[in-house]
Amino acid sequence: MSAPSNPLLKVNNIEVIYDHVILVLKGVSLEVEKGSIVSILGANGAGKTTTLKAISNLLRSERGEVTKGSIEYNGADITAKSPADLVMDGVVQVMEGRHCFEHLTVEENLLTGAYTRKGGRSVVNAELEKVYHYFPRLKERRNSQAGYVSGGEQQMVAVGRALMAKPSLILLDEPSMGLAPQLVEEIFEIVRRLNVETGVSFLVAEQNATIALKYAHYGYILENGRVVMDGDATDLANNEDVKEFYLGLGGDGRKSFRDVKHYRRRKRWLA
Amino acid sequence: MEDFVIEFMFFLEVLFSGLLTGTLYSLVALGFVLIFKASGVFNFAQGAMMLFAALSLVGFQEMLGVHWTVAFLLTVVVMILLAWCVEKFVLGKLVNQEPIILFMATIGITFFLDGFGQTLWGSDIKPLDIGLPTGSLDFGGIFVDQLELVAGATAGGLVLGLAIFFNKTKIGRALRAVADDHQAAMSVGISLRNIWIIVWSVAGLVGLVAGIMWGSKLGVQFSLSLLALKALPVLMLGGFTSIPGAIIGGLIIGAGEKLAEIYLGPFVGGAIENWFAYMLAMVFLLFRPQGLFGEKIIERV
């Protein structure tokens, strides 16, 4: 993928500070091309969630702030836009840990996702049918309280709820969290179908590099609040360093402790 | 036999009187529930809002010499304005703070409203008369206070209206969503500011209705503000998040304290009406902390 000239989302060198003192992102830049799936990889605390929240501007309610750089969406600066305005523009975040409205039913959760939609009941119902088409399991459980459905179903509710806003970009945070491998695969399969069939773009933050690189077109690797590597998903998956540090695939079997220390050094150098 | 019938009629009269007083407690408790449901804030200022609304209503009536319906509408506008101010100057600045901090802020609002209301409208006890019926009706030997009947009917109507609002409308659904998860609500494009203004306005309106009922009963005076304390046991019984709970809780407290006063009072020297409600609430806290109808805390393991 060569440098796209007119990306859907463009994050330019942003710096994020929490509580006026804690520097979390130290100059992150990334791009999402229209119709693509881009993943952000990295360990705990690397800044994946913060990056997504900076884009959706949910950051401010956690006392975080973008202090440098800018975020552009469809060519317009959205750094200071409110989350509600961003949803209306078509940028919706699916938060880590699913965050369903537990006391609402599955269907009510989905309907709440259409809060910003105009056009009355017929538009919303059509969208609801579309979500049920992609997540038939939710249709079966439409009247169950969301707090009592399984983790996988909650993740589907969260994604379905985001779809109800008719977004062009979904920021998907750690969809694999706490789910069985088979379910993770199922969720990513649906993400791919949505991407191909409806053209919605995804920016996915994921710890599980194997699955993220399998489904993404392009990937960024974040370490300590910086992008340390980026490239086509297939290139990244074949990169020796990525294999060692993120995919858990060493070149030749187990290593001695001395070698591990050596890798640590290399990793630090990489960062 | 004759004695028993008279005794039973007396019991019914006490019971009805208690139940109807209970609906008046429910009206106060409703305001708490609304704000707690939508923002997780325990609004200590609900009593002060009730007093402020009643003061404004009487004030407008006196000052402008208009019909009470006009004064009512003006007061509604004032309460919406108040809701806007609360969001703009207090809660808006405290987004994502601990509940205890928000609670403290509402204590501040209480003192401000108590003082401001009395500065604006004076601190004399004023009669509130919007033509509600007074006196008792005779239902085959049982005397029922007419004002309390009206209060009961009003409370019923309010609850029905609120239930429809919360369960059937888009805004109501959004309010429940905010109550469940602030951040998730923001992530789907619900503006917390608007929701807070709406819910404080509705609570202000409920406060106004409660203020009218209590004002008609006791006159508009500072002690109305303290009625908020009577709403606490109602909330503990009914659950802080349940609108029907506020009603049922009010009925139980109202009937309970009247019956206790009559039938238990003599054994312990009387005047137990004042503390019976709190004792009942304490017992409830021990055995059912979420109240009768409170939302179960869903915990995944």
Side-chain angles (χ1 to χ4, degrees):
Chain A
M1 200 181 287
S2 61
S5 52
N6 198 9
L8 182 64
L9 179 81
K10 203 169 168 199
V11 175
N12 303 315
N13 207 21
I14 55 166
E15 190 178 280
V16 168
I17 296 186
Y18 279 106
D19 261 333
H20 299 291
V21 281
I22 309 158
L23 181 63
V24 182
L25 296 189
K26 304 158 187 167
V28 168
S29 298
L30 55 85
E31 291 181 353
V32 178
E33 253 204 296
K34 202 167 254 174
S36 66
I37 301 176
V38 176
S39 61
I40 307 177
L41 310 175
N44 273 336
K48 303 185 299 290
T49 298
T50 303
T51 307
L52 294 192
K53 284 193 170 165
I55 298 166
S56 67
N57 215 345
L58 290 173
L59 205 59
R60 209 174 303 158
S61 70
E62 294 184 333
R63 329 190 97 218
E65 210 182 343
V66 177
T67 47
K68 274 186 198 149
S70 67
I71 301 165
E72 285 168 39
Y73 170 73
N74 266 337
D77 189 333
I78 56 162
T79 318
K81 268 201 168 179
S82 77
D85 285 342
L86 285 170
V87 172
M88 254 184 284
D89 286 358
V91 184
V92 182
Q93 176 162 9
V94 177
M95 283 191 294
E96 183 178 6
R98 307 183 284 264
H99 282 268
C100 292
F101 303 123
E102 294 186 331
H103 295 99
L104 273 60
T105 65
V106 167
E107 184 153 306
E108 283 176 329
N109 264 274
L110 296 176
L111 290 174
T112 311
Y115 184 74
T116 52
R117 295 294 294 277
K118 308 235 170 0
R121 197 162 292 177
S122 56
V123 175
V124 174
N125 282 344
E127 206 66 50
L128 193 62
E129 281 313 311
K130 209 174 98 187
V131 172
Y132 284 147
H133 166 70
Y134 283 101
F135 300 101
R137 267 215 261 173
L138 296 186
K139 191 163 190 170
E140 288 165 31
R141 311 225 54 184
R142 64 204 294 176
N143 292 322
S144 313
Q145 244 189 11
Y148 290 116
V149 302
S150 75
E153 285 161 348
Q154 283 189 346
Q155 187 65 60
M156 292 177 188
V157 169
V159 175
R161 191 173 65 189
L163 282 174
M164 293 293 290
K166 210 171 175 55
S168 18
L169 173 65
I170 293 182
L171 309 168
L172 190 53
D173 197 353
E174 207 79 39
S176 72
M177 194 172 107
L179 299 183
Q182 202 186 345
L183 262 171
V184 174
E185 200 85 35
E186 193 182 331
I187 301 256
F188 268 93
E189 225 23 271
I190 295 173
V191 165
R192 170 142 63 190
R193 268 183 68 203
L194 284 166
N195 174 253
V196 172
E197 291 169 21
T198 68
V200 54
S201 312
F202 283 88
L203 180 58
V204 188
E206 205 22 281
Q207 285 195 43
N208 184 338
T210 317
I211 191 132
L213 288 178
K214 182 173 161 193
Y215 286 93
H217 303 118
Y218 201 81
Y220 291 85
I221 296 179
L222 231 58
E223 249 173 50
N224 289 322
R226 286 196 183 90
V227 175
V228 291
M229 195 183 270
D230 67 306
D232 282 353
T234 41
D235 292 349
L236 283 180
N238 292 322
N239 181 296
E240 285 305 316
D241 288 330
V242 175
K243 271 188 187 170
E244 276 173 27
F245 301 135
Y246 290 99
L247 302 177
L249 304 166
D252 28 41
R254 285 175 67 117
K255 307 239 163 38
S256 80
F257 184 61
R258 202 171 54 187
D259 293 331
V260 173
K261 280 198 343 204
H262 167 65
Y263 291 131
R264 285 259 167 81
R265 270 205 300 282
R266 272 188 60 201
K267 192 171 169 183
R268 205 175 306 142
W269 171 81
L270 202 69
Chain B
M1 190 63 203
E2 187 91 331
D3 278 357
F4 176 75
V5 170
I6 291 172
E7 192 62 32
F8 186 66
M9 294 296 248
F10 178 67
F11 168 78
L12 283 184
E13 201 173 307
V14 173
L15 182 68
F16 276 122
S17 161
L19 286 177
L20 290 170
T21 314
T23 59
L24 284 170
Y25 294 147
S26 301
L27 278 177
V28 185
L30 260 184
F32 282 100
V33 171
L34 284 172
I35 290 181
F36 191 80
K37 245 177 114 74
S39 54
V41 179
F42 182 79
N43 176 27
F44 194 76
Q46 187 64 33
M49 278 164 70
M50 183 172 89
L51 172 66
F52 186 74
L55 275 174
S56 303
L57 181 75
V58 177
F60 281 130
Q61 260 184 310
E62 265 180 12
M63 192 174 71
L64 306 173
V66 289
H67 191 251
W68 72 268
T69 45
V70 180
F72 182 88
L73 291 178
L74 282 173
T75 312
V76 170
V77 174
V78 167
M79 295 316 282
I80 292 173
L81 216 63
L82 176 70
W84 185 83
C85 288
V86 165
E87 200 288 327
K88 176 92 183 154
F89 299 113
V90 186
L91 294 182
K93 312 272 181 215
L94 298 175
V95 176
N96 253 34
Q97 295 285 5
E98 298 290 316
I100 188 73
I101 292 178
L102 295 172
F103 172 67
M104 299 285 268
T106 67
I107 295 183
I109 296 172
T110 308
F111 283 105
F112 172 77
L113 276 184
D114 281 345
F116 183 65
Q118 293 183 70
T119 311
L120 211 59
W121 304 113
S123 54
D124 308 326
I125 299 179
K126 291 179 186 149
L128 191 157
D129 184 16
I130 59 166
L132 291 180
T134 48
S136 304
L137 279 182
D138 183 355
F139 287 105
I142 303 171
F143 289 93
V144 179
D145 191 271
Q146 286 195 62
L147 178 66
E148 288 178 342
L149 267 185
V150 173
T154 311
L158 259 183
V159 171
L160 201 66
L162 288 172
I164 292 170
F165 174 64
F166 266 94
N167 289 309
K168 300 287 175 213
T169 68
K170 183 174 154 185
I171 301 278
R173 200 164 49 225
L175 285 171
R176 285 189 295 144
V178 172
D180 259 10
D181 194 325
H182 280 196
Q183 273 230 322
M186 282 167 75
S187 82
V188 297
I190 296 171
S191 153
L192 283 189
R193 304 197 45 176
N194 296 347
I195 291 296
W196 279 357
I197 293 175
I198 290 171
V199 79
W200 277 74
S201 300
V202 176
L205 190 70
V206 171
L208 171 60
V209 173
I212 290 175
M213 297 303 161
W214 279 103
S216 304
K217 196 178 161 88
L218 306 174
V220 177
Q221 53 175 319
F222 180 72
S223 68
L224 283 189
S225 183
L226 303 177
L227 273 169
L229 296 179
K230 245 325 177 351
L232 285 179
V234 174
L235 292 168
M236 285 169 193
L237 244 75
F240 279 83
T241 50
S242 165
I243 291 175
I247 300 300
I248 308 282
L251 293 178
I252 295 176
I253 294 283
E257 66 180 19
K258 283 275 187 308
L259 291 173
E261 176 71 44
I262 302 286
Y263 294 104
L264 297 179
F267 299 107
V268 292
I272 67 173
E273 195 176 344
N274 290 323
W275 53 260
F276 181 78
Y278 300 100
M279 201 195 65
L280 202 61
M282 210 173 70
V283 173
F284 253 79
L285 279 182
L286 288 176
F287 294 106
R288 205 178 154 81
Q290 78 268 42
L292 283 175
F293 300 92
E295 266 167 2
K296 268 215 201 106
I297 299 151
I298 299 177
E299 193 124 23
R300 297 184 68 92
V301 282

